[in-house]
Amino acid sequence: MLNRRNFIKTIVGTSVAVPGILNANDNLGKDIKFDEIADVIIIGSGVSAHICAAYLVKNKIDVLMIEKMDRIGGNSALSQQDFAVLNSDLQIKAGIKDSEELFLNDLNKAGAGYNHLEHSLRIIRNSNEAYEFAKSCGVKYADKLKFLGGHSVARSVETIGGGGACISTLNEFFIKHNGKIKNETKCDEIIQDESGKIIGVSVRENYRFNRNLANDDRENLSGDKKHYKARLAVVFATGGFSRDIEFRSIVNPRLRLAKSPSSLGQTAGALKQMLKVGAIPTQLALSRFSFGIPTEDLIYGIMVDCNAKRFLNEDGDRQGLSNKILAHMEKINTTIYPIIIFDSTGFANSHDPNRMQSFITAGKMKKFDSLSDLANNFKLNENDLSKTMQDYETGISNNKDEFKKDLSKIKNSSMSKAPFYAMTAAPGLSYTPGGVYADINMRVLNISNYEPIKGLYAIGEATGGVHGQSRLTSCSIPDCMTSGIACAKDILKGV
Amino acid sequence: MQKLLMILILSIFALGNEFVIKPHHIEVKLKCTDCHKEANEKDYKALDSNSCLSCHGSKEKLAKRLDFLKGKNPHNSIHDNANLNCYTCHNEHKPSFNMCNTCHNTKTWMREIK
Ligand SMILES: Cc1cc2nc3c(=O)[nH]c(=O)nc-3n(C[C@H](O)[C@H](O)[C@H](O)COP(=O)(O)OP(=O)(O)OC[C@H]3O[C@@H](n4cnc5c(N)ncnc54)[C@H](O)[C@@H]3O)c2cc1C
């Protein structure tokens, strides 16, 4: 927020903006000279930004999108973009019986009651509209449904070409409809007028993100300062903060040691800007992990820490296992991730052997002819490792596992038949469920009175409280898309 | 190896410790002023991609040369197509950085990045 002295005086009665036409407000830059002006300024260039932008430009609104990174698309460009949709054409064609109640049940179960119901319903009820809108912009979906974990029916559509294709298609659509985008332009501050209404942002053009800094938001001074004015609204579509080790360790110390497969720019800077103008921080301590290997297969192997010792029951979901791994690493004071080991019997028990094979081709999992090769490769003490494996086998023969694993489920897996297969077990923080709280029109609410902060919207992963304790698979994309459209519609109401 | 060492020593000698030039650029005898057009050394700024492309051709041309990597072409990836700036991965005066490597194990398909 700029300090009071820099506030711009607004003339009463000119707050209704006319898209595409300069109105009286625009000339008020007494204290601030605005370098750019647009009806709507969208911060971020992921799927939520692009869907919102596409909807607005299609309705002739003049939109300027800015992105701090060189890369367009943030995490959305890395994402598979599996997309849960209620009553899609594909569900109807396949005769799948789905309903609002079923979908809500699934979301509530994952969210464990931490999820705001009105947002769950926003996602469910508008998912098909969003999917159809994305298609109308040219995004392509495979002609099959996915039945993903945590969903009670097959309801997820598959984006052809994943997030990369989705973002480049939407970007083309946006540009074709006269949308403007500037990358390497970072939003630094939200500008308010005297009444508290959001009227623009202060940015740096020619900004170059520096991955070597401990905190790019605080330390990076690159770029040329500019001021942009928004006639109608500023939309924060700024994603999560999974790469911001400093910030995520403050909101939840358990997250400190997590790895992150996220885009390098996923930091908390934008979130902090919204908090400064009074947004409500919501559920920032929550996390969502990816694991690199289907966790249902882990029961057939063992996981050992850097001392070659087991420390948990390998049978668990990725959220639970990730938490236990990170807690154990803190306890034994190491930054080294544990190793997952299968012998050839355990490896063969995988529910998806082709996928396991693909991990080997990708170099993610390695095959070892002897235990000493494995121990060498991961710098484990061979004797200790061998003892751990023997203990595990003794447990199997006595039908009593040290960590209470249900041995009746391991399908005769053992831990002694070469070749061995192993990979690092690194909990990957790929999504941060926390963010600012917004109403279902995606207006950011003010912490002092719970009223919307005029002119400020937040969409996509930047918002919090939507998914609750654990976000259901393939439900970020419908969240990003439905929030983008809800925001666009609310902005259009004011035109 | 010896040749490389010589080149390195020479480059350090010529440019001071701070701004070492990569061996392949020394080999074609690049001087500071070939890339930095500012009159005064103290005004030198970080380059944009167009400076690189003035010798290396277009991003599309560079992408084509790695077409044999099929779906794993870093110059035309499924995430970014051919849209990234050169300096997102390549550095001239410090070690380069393989961004693909932040999520994928690139050893199985990519050489060390220059
Ligand atoms: C590998 C991976 C796979 C995934 N797979 C799925 C899946 O299959 N299904 C699913 O539903 N979800 C999936 N997700 C999650 C989902 O993709 C993301 O939650 C979603 O794409 C987020 O979109 P967004 O638009 O909110 O933010 P992002 O796409 O992250 O975009 C935010 C952008 O804002 C920019 N930004 C931030 N601060 C500033 C600033 N101050 N100034 C300017 N720009 C700024 C960032 O650089 C970034 O580009 C996956 C995530 C990952 C990492």
Side-chain angles (χ1 to χ4, degrees):
Chain A
M1 194 171 80
L2 295 183
N3 61 34
R4 278 203 84 76
R5 159 170 76 81
N6 286 339
F7 279 177
I8 297 169
K9 291 166 196 76
T10 35
I11 295 170
V12 184
T14 55
S15 56
V16 182
V18 188
I21 301 163
L22 289 180
N23 72 11
N25 268 0
D26 301 330
N27 303 320
L28 281 172
K30 274 187 192 141
D31 299 297
I32 299 176
K33 186 187 149 287
F34 283 103
D35 305 282
E36 287 275 353
I37 175 159
D39 293 333
V40 177
I41 297 175
I42 301 183
I43 322 295
S45 65
V47 70
S48 53
H50 267 97
I51 283 288
C52 180
Y55 202 93
L56 287 169
V57 291
K58 208 176 161 185
N59 284 282
K60 304 265 183 307
I61 298 291
D62 149 40
V63 177
L64 172 61
M65 187 188 290
I66 67 170
E67 167 58 53
K68 70 176 182 183
M69 304 299 281
D70 176 23
R71 161 178 285 156
I72 301 294
N75 261 10
S76 305
L78 305 183
S79 168
Q80 247 171 292
Q81 295 214 2
D82 287 342
F83 177 1
V85 183
L86 173 66
N87 294 332
S88 64
D89 51 358
L90 296 178
Q91 264 194 338
I92 289 164
K93 200 169 85 184
I96 290 165
K97 288 224 160 23
D98 200 356
S99 68
E100 224 169 272
E101 293 70 40
L102 267 185
F103 200 162
L104 186 61
N105 237 342
D106 295 341
L107 284 173
N108 285 340
K109 204 167 156 201
Y114 294 21
N115 49 316
H116 284 272
L117 199 71
E118 70 275 20
H119 281 293
S120 299
L121 290 171
R122 187 242 312 150
I123 293 174
I124 295 171
R125 289 177 180 158
N126 304 310
S127 54
N128 193 50
E129 179 198 11
Y131 162 65
E132 288 296 334
F133 179 69
K135 282 201 287 185
S136 78
C137 298
V139 182
K140 298 268 185 300
Y141 296 92
D143 191 22
K144 62 171 185 210
L145 278 176
K146 284 182 161 176
F147 195 161
L148 297 174
H151 291 272
S152 51
V153 295
R155 63 163 74 97
S156 299
V157 299
E158 180 183 325
T159 310
I160 295 176
C166 170
I167 293 296
S168 66
T169 306
L170 292 175
N171 191 254
E172 235 167 75
F173 181 92
F174 176 58
I175 302 292
K176 209 174 87 198
H177 288 78
N178 302 318
K180 271 200 292 178
I181 179 163
K182 293 189 184 201
N183 64 337
E184 298 193 304
T185 298
K186 189 190 190 198
C187 180
D188 281 326
E189 268 181 319
I190 298 170
I191 305 175
Q192 287 175 292
D193 71 8
E194 278 174 332
S195 71
K197 183 179 175 240
I198 306 309
I199 55 165
V201 286
S202 127
V203 307
R204 272 175 291 159
E205 295 178 354
N206 302 315
Y207 180 82
R208 282 203 193 165
F209 180 81
N210 185 345
R211 62 179 186 280
N212 296 317
L213 299 174
N215 186 318
D216 178 82
D217 288 314
R218 265 193 296 114
E219 299 167 38
N220 189 335
L221 304 175
S222 68
D224 315 310
K225 196 173 169 80
K226 295 274 154 76
H227 296 103
Y228 293 175
K229 182 175 170 63
R231 295 186 191 97
L232 299 174
V234 171
V235 180
F236 268 61
T238 41
F241 52 85
S242 44
R243 281 268 181 189
D244 197 326
I245 297 173
E246 207 180 53
F247 186 75
R248 68 183 207 217
S249 310
I250 292 172
V251 294
N252 182 356
R254 179 60 50 80
L255 304 181
R256 184 173 71 96
L257 294 171
K259 214 176 153 127
S260 176
S262 288
S263 190
L264 296 169
Q266 304 295 112
T267 67
L271 168 65
K272 293 176 192 173
Q273 291 166 38
M274 290 189 276
L275 298 186
K276 274 193 193 163
V277 297
I280 308 169
T282 309
Q283 300 186 349
L284 299 184
L286 294 178
S287 56
R288 186 181 196 272
F289 295 103
S290 56
F291 213 77
I293 175 174
T295 42
E296 57 258 54
D297 285 341
L298 296 183
I299 190 169
Y300 308 124
I302 60 168
M303 195 185 296
V304 299
D305 64 18
C306 56
N307 304 315
K309 291 207 167 59
R310 276 180 78 209
F311 59 96
L312 49 61
N313 175 356
E314 291 83 0
D315 184 18
D317 60 41
R318 53 188 182 172
Q319 204 63 20
L321 287 170
S322 295
N323 266 315
K324 283 186 193 161
I325 291 170
L326 294 172
H328 182 70
M329 286 170 65
E330 291 281 1
K331 190 172 136 203
I332 64 169
N333 195 16
T334 182
T335 56
I336 302 169
Y337 295 113
I339 310 296
I340 297 163
I341 303 171
F342 300 98
D343 79 349
S344 54
T345 60
F347 183 81
N349 276 333
S350 164
H351 80 294
D352 191 349
N354 288 339
R355 184 121 184 254
M356 291 290 251
Q357 207 57 52
S358 78
F359 295 155
I360 293 177
T361 319
K364 199 150 85 169
M365 184 181 269
K366 286 199 178 117
K367 182 179 174 182
F368 301 96
D369 291 327
S370 74
L371 199 58
S372 66
D373 288 351
L374 189 158
N376 273 338
N377 185 80
F378 291 103
K379 299 191 176 66
L380 295 169
N381 180 305
E382 192 185 338
N383 291 335
D384 294 346
L385 180 61
S386 157
K387 173 153 191 314
T388 297
M389 291 167 118
Q390 276 162 20
D391 289 350
Y392 181 65
E393 290 232 310
T394 312
I396 293 175
S397 47
N398 297 337
N399 199 18
K400 193 170 185 309
D401 182 65
E402 195 186 342
F403 295 93
K404 301 202 172 72
K405 177 144 94 182
D406 181 354
L407 296 169
S408 69
K409 292 195 329 200
I410 68 169
K411 295 201 232 157
N412 297 322
S413 303
S414 61
M415 201 34 72
S416 53
K417 294 199 180 62
F420 298 97
Y421 299 82
M423 67 183 274
T424 313
L429 187 63
S430 58
Y431 184 89
T432 45
V436 300
Y437 188 67
D439 67 10
I440 56 166
N441 297 313
M442 309 323 288
R443 299 179 299 182
V444 178
L445 302 188
N446 194 321
I447 196 160
S448 58
N449 54 13
Y450 310 126
E451 294 283 327
I453 300 173
K454 283 204 185 74
L456 184 64
Y457 292 80
I459 56 179
E461 199 180 324
T463 63
V466 174
H467 301 281
Q469 178 168 288
S470 178
R471 171 173 73 66
L472 198 57
T473 305
S474 72
C475 287
S476 174
I477 299 307
D479 173 25
C480 289
M481 290 203 183
T482 59
S483 61
I485 293 177
C487 162
K489 283 184 176 171
D490 199 68
I491 293 171
L492 286 164
K493 266 192 242 160
V495 173
Chain B
M1 188 64 208
Q2 212 164 16
K3 187 176 156 210
L4 209 88
L5 215 74
M6 269 306 283
I7 291 171
L8 241 109
I9 289 169
L10 267 172
S11 68
I12 290 168
F13 187 69
L15 294 145
N17 285 328
E18 242 180 302
F19 297 104
V20 181
I21 295 184
K22 291 278 159 79
H24 51 274
H25 283 154
I26 293 200
E27 235 164 284
V28 295
K29 300 195 166 57
L30 277 195
K31 301 183 298 298
C32 307
T33 48
D34 289 328
C35 299
H36 295 284
K37 301 298 181 196
E38 294 87 352
N40 208 321
E41 212 172 289
K42 68 176 191 326
D43 298 329
Y44 284 3
K45 280 206 266 307
L47 299 181
D48 61 18
S49 294
N50 289 332
S51 316
C52 314
L53 296 175
S54 67
C55 290
H56 289 275
S58 65
K59 288 185 185 175
E60 287 66 32
K61 183 187 142 200
L62 289 168
K64 233 187 176 123
R65 282 174 50 185
L66 295 184
D67 254 356
F68 68 93
L69 289 172
K70 302 264 165 51
K72 295 171 171 177
N73 183 345
H75 290 162
N76 186 13
S77 78
I78 56 160
H79 305 301
D80 300 296
N81 302 319
N83 293 327
L84 292 177
N85 276 306
C86 310
Y87 53 75
T88 288
C89 296
H90 299 272
N91 295 317
E92 183 59 21
H93 303 310
K94 58 182 181 196
S96 289
F97 168 73
N98 187 336
M99 187 164 76
C100 307
N101 227 347
T102 56
C103 294
H104 306 282
N105 180 353
T106 55
K107 278 202 199 110
T108 55
W109 86 85
M110 238 192 269
R111 276 193 311 203
E112 197 97 0
I113 173 175
K114 279 190 186 168

